[in-house]
Amino acid sequence: MLTDCLYQASASAHGGREGQVATSDGTLHAWLDLPAELGGRGHGNNPEQLFAAGYAACFLSTMKTLKNQNHPPLPGDARVTATVGLAPRPEGGFGLGITLAVSLPGMDPKRARALMEAAHGACPYSRAIMGNVPVHLSLA
């Protein structure tokens, strides 16, 4: 755990991938289900979707923060789409792979790429999985 933590979030799961999750403050409650591709009904959310949503939001917020540090302002319609893939690993078990597709309409591609790279080095989600989960950055 980090020392001098500015914020902590807590969520509990019941029933695993075919159960439910809820935050301790009650602002999120989601029913989980395996995706149809994995033999489930696909009627609920799954952990990969929840991770993708959090990562996309955090990455975009990081880019907004960095724009004040020698990076150009973000276009109002900037968007990050995180795609989280789940696949078997050759050594057993499962692993994740992630693509972050960043849309920065009207921004010079070279500057956009530099901002994406800087955000990848600063985003808490990117830093948490760095060296363990492959992340592909794509300028959409």
Side-chain angles (χ1 to χ4, degrees):
M1 186 54 125
L2 295 173
T3 58
D4 299 326
C5 206
L6 298 175
Y7 172 74
Q8 293 184 76
S10 180
S12 296
H14 175 73
R17 287 181 170 270
E18 296 176 291
Q20 51 188 299
V21 293
T23 56
S24 60
D25 65 2
T27 59
L28 174 71
H29 182 249
W31 292 93
L32 302 178
D33 193 14
L34 285 170
E37 298 86 347
L38 298 178
R41 297 169 300 157
H43 292 289
N45 292 107
N46 60 65
E48 291 73 32
Q49 290 172 320
L50 298 172
F51 189 82
Y55 199 172
C58 189
F59 198 85
L60 183 55
S61 290
T62 301
M63 287 195 308
K64 286 181 176 183
T65 301
L66 291 176
K67 64 109 175 139
N68 296 323
Q69 301 171 3
N70 298 322
H71 290 283
L74 291 183
D77 54 353
R79 176 181 301 266
V80 174
T81 301
T83 302
V84 176
L86 178 69
R89 296 174 13 163
E91 58 274 8
F94 292 89
L96 300 175
I98 299 169
T99 297
L100 296 176
V102 178
S103 175
L104 300 168
M107 187 180 284
D108 173 70
K110 188 174 182 179
R111 296 191 79 179
R113 172 93 28 213
L115 179 57
M116 284 176 18
E117 294 291 338
H120 189 48
C123 173
Y125 276 64
S126 292
R127 293 173 54 84
I129 63 174
M130 198 169 289
N132 191 41
V133 176
V135 177
H136 173 71
L137 299 177
S138 167
L139 186 58

